Amino acid sequence: MADHDHGYKLLFSHAALVADVLRGFVREDWVAELDFETLERVDGSYVFDDLRHRESDMVWKVRWRDRVLYVYLLLEFQSTVDPFMPVRSMTAALFGMERSRSLEDLRRQVERLAGDDEVDEGFQRSVHAWLTRVVLPARFPDLQVPEVQDLKEMQSMLEENMARWGREAREEARQE
């Protein structure tokens, strides 16, 4: 469970993902006026007057017109499907990866993200870590995944190994 939470916190620590979430989920005209180039994560740790301590999930600031706007992201991480969580129904590549029902679905989502030259290299590294340490072990626990360095290698590895893994799974099922 901790890897699941940490994986999402890692992903949401990238400004590009936060910008996509704001564009995709906040259906207000002012979102189009945000200067996403100024999107910056802010310390989310607070100490109140009575010395109580509070940690928020994510706080970001961004320029809007001539003001600074603070965006507070309360992230509720789920290890099981919750049909009432709108973020679970999002069709963006990350959530498509997590919801992949087959290795082919996952491969298509990885291909989509790996082929996007606009995606920040640091974000791609975070997605790679999340896939290898969270998604693949959770979705395909019996799968032995060779080490790969980045999303392009992961895409190639998935393409090369999918047929073999399918044969091995059918053979195991036949033997059982």
Side-chain angles (χ1 to χ4, degrees), residues 28-175:
E28 301 292 331
D29 294 337
W30 56 265
V31 173
E33 299 175 23
L34 294 176
D35 180 2
F36 288 108
E37 295 294 316
T38 66
L39 197 57
E40 178 184 341
R41 189 165 172 198
V42 180
D43 181 22
S45 178
Y46 307 95
V47 177
F48 295 100
D49 290 341
D50 61 0
L51 300 182
R52 286 179 297 132
H53 181 258
R54 169 90 172 126
E55 289 282 331
S56 66
D57 285 333
M58 297 277 173
V59 178
W60 291 83
K61 69 179 180 178
V62 64
R63 297 281 315 159
W64 176 57
R65 297 182 181 166
D66 60 343
R67 303 177 194 157
V68 173
L69 176 71
Y70 287 87
V71 178
Y72 177 84
L73 295 177
L74 176 60
L75 304 172
E76 180 62 32
F77 301 108
Q78 300 286 317
S79 60
T80 59
V81 175
D82 179 355
F84 300 105
M85 294 278 293
V87 78
R88 293 276 181 222
S89 64
M90 184 176 174
T91 57
L94 293 174
F95 300 102
M97 287 177 197
E98 185 176 42
R99 292 189 340 231
S100 296
R101 297 288 181 226
S102 69
L103 287 168
E104 176 57 24
D105 288 345
L106 180 64
R107 187 204 59 78
R108 277 194 301 265
Q109 296 295 338
V110 170
E111 177 181 41
R112 187 172 144 211
L113 191 59
D116 188 345
D117 293 333
E118 299 289 316
V119 176
D120 174 78
E121 185 178 316
F123 182 63
Q124 283 205 12
R125 279 194 306 273
S126 295
V127 170
H128 172 265
W130 174 70
L131 282 170
T132 56
R133 294 191 175 92
V134 178
V135 174
L136 287 172
R139 303 292 295 143
F140 310 101
D142 297 329
L143 194 62
Q144 296 298 316
V145 180
E147 278 296 316
V148 293
Q149 300 303 312
D150 59 28
L151 289 180
K152 290 190 192 289
E153 279 187 34
M154 180 169 288
Q155 175 190 350
S156 297
M157 179 273 301
L158 288 169
E159 287 172 356
E160 292 168 7
N161 290 295
M162 277 189 336
R164 181 177 54 84
W165 289 332
R167 284 191 306 274
E168 289 172 1
R170 285 190 297 278
E171 181 60 31
E172 285 177 23
R174 194 172 18 256
Q175 288 176 2

